[in-house]
Amino acid sequence: MSQSMSTLKQRLTQAGIALNEPSSTAPLESPWFVRVLQAFSGWLAALFLLGFIATAVVFVLESSVASLVVGSLLIGGAFALLRAARGDVLEHMALAFSLAGQLLVAWPAVEMWGISASLWWVLLALQCALALIMPSQVHRSMSAFLASLALTMALAVNGLAPVAIGLVVLVLTLLWLNECRWPGRIGAVQAWGAGLLVGLLVLQGQAYSNQLAWLYDSGAQWFGPWLASWLSTALVALALVCVILQAFRQHSQPAIAQRLAIYGAVALVAVVSVYMPGLGAGVTVLLLGFTIGHRVLMGSGILLLLMAASSYYYWLDVTLLMKSLMLLAMGALLLSIRWILKRWWLNQWLTVHKPAPLGDTNEQ
């Protein structure tokens, strides 16, 4: 085989055809289980090293200034290590160092403000800065995930926890819809989107389990619970409209009646989402994944829908009859949206691939 290829190359070269051969072979990617083992090794080595450092400088926890300085040094060392990292071991070791440094930096803030909104806003600003500057996809995803948690805590102190979910859905949608707009930062945008997606799943799961109810019962509430729920629903509906507009750009514009039907379906989803929390987020993520062809997003949207339906079904404040009717209405609504979109895309496909009539050919 190699002899025949060399003969073919010689004949092409003699014929004056230039061959663009790669100067170096493409590196082979390690299997996922090897990368997982390397990541575990990096975390294990980092934890042992951090334990050794902690036993030597345990006094830093007694001084806010010392804790801030050591934490900043750990974050700076993690940044330098990530710049030089060429493997999963060093990358995850640097991530462990960075998280330890963030804890030390947060310790003086806890002593100064306690568990208050100011603390969470400061941690949110820290995570946003790290998500922007850290030269690592894993670290950017982790920072985006922690930023979503910090945003939820900051708003929950003032009784606005549902608004955080709407904001995360909106930012997640805008990031994934515009990932190709900045070619030089496409990897960073995908990392931020992945971190926010994990954060959305965690926030929705926490909202259904209601494990942090003590934090939501804050005396300093800016709006009533109903207004916070409607504001979150409005943000999710805005994200859903952005997805639909992107779908319209990818295809030709639908008719006025079809467009009004689609926007009416969006309004109906928004209204039902007030009584079935998480439904709008699931529909938005599912349609987002379908629009950009991202299977992980589509799977996450289906998971969010299943979580919303199961949580609503076991909600004790509504009778089983009302729950069944609501689920029946939502199922009929989703099937109607699917039928409208299928008819619209089928009509567009037939318009593009319509064969030319036989009588239109000009005979010479």
Side-chain angles (χ1 to χ4, degrees), residues 238-266:
L238 179 60
L240 184 56
V241 170
C242 293
V243 175
I244 292 175
L245 291 177
Q246 179 65 27
F248 287 167
R249 295 190 192 98
Q250 293 179 357
H251 306 274
S252 55
Q253 294 291 334
I256 299 297
Q258 293 175 335
R259 192 182 307 176
L260 291 178
I262 292 173
Y263 287 139
V266 172

Side-chain angles (χ1 to χ4, degrees), residues 18-36:
L19 299 178
N20 295 327
E21 298 184 3
S23 57
S24 59
T25 58
L28 297 177
E29 294 185 358
S30 301
W32 65 268
F33 50 86
V34 175
R35 300 193 64 181
V36 170

Side-chain angles (χ1 to χ4, degrees), residues 162-198:
V163 180
I165 296 179
L167 285 173
V168 171
V169 173
L170 181 58
V171 176
L172 168 71
T173 302
L174 294 177
L175 282 176
W176 282 109
L177 288 179
N178 297 280
E179 62 173 330
C180 298
R181 182 162 296 184
W182 305 285
R185 305 280 295 181
I186 187 171
V189 174
Q190 291 177 350
W192 298 334
L196 290 178
L197 179 62
V198 176

Side-chain angles (χ1 to χ4, degrees), residues 62-77:
E62 301 176 359
S63 173
S64 299
V65 177
S67 178
L68 185 62
V69 171
V70 175
S72 301
L73 290 176
L74 285 176
I75 295 176

Side-chain angles (χ1 to χ4, degrees), residues 15 29 42-43 60 63 77 80 89 94 102 127 147 239 254 263 269 294-295 300 307 312-314 321 337:
E29 294 185 358
W43 277 92
V60 298
S63 173
V89 176
Q102 294 171 40
Q127 296 302 328
Y263 287 139
V269 169
H294 199 291
R295 293 185 178 180
S300 301
M307 291 168 59
Y312 178 75
Y313 189 79
Y314 290 103
L321 179 60
I337 296 175

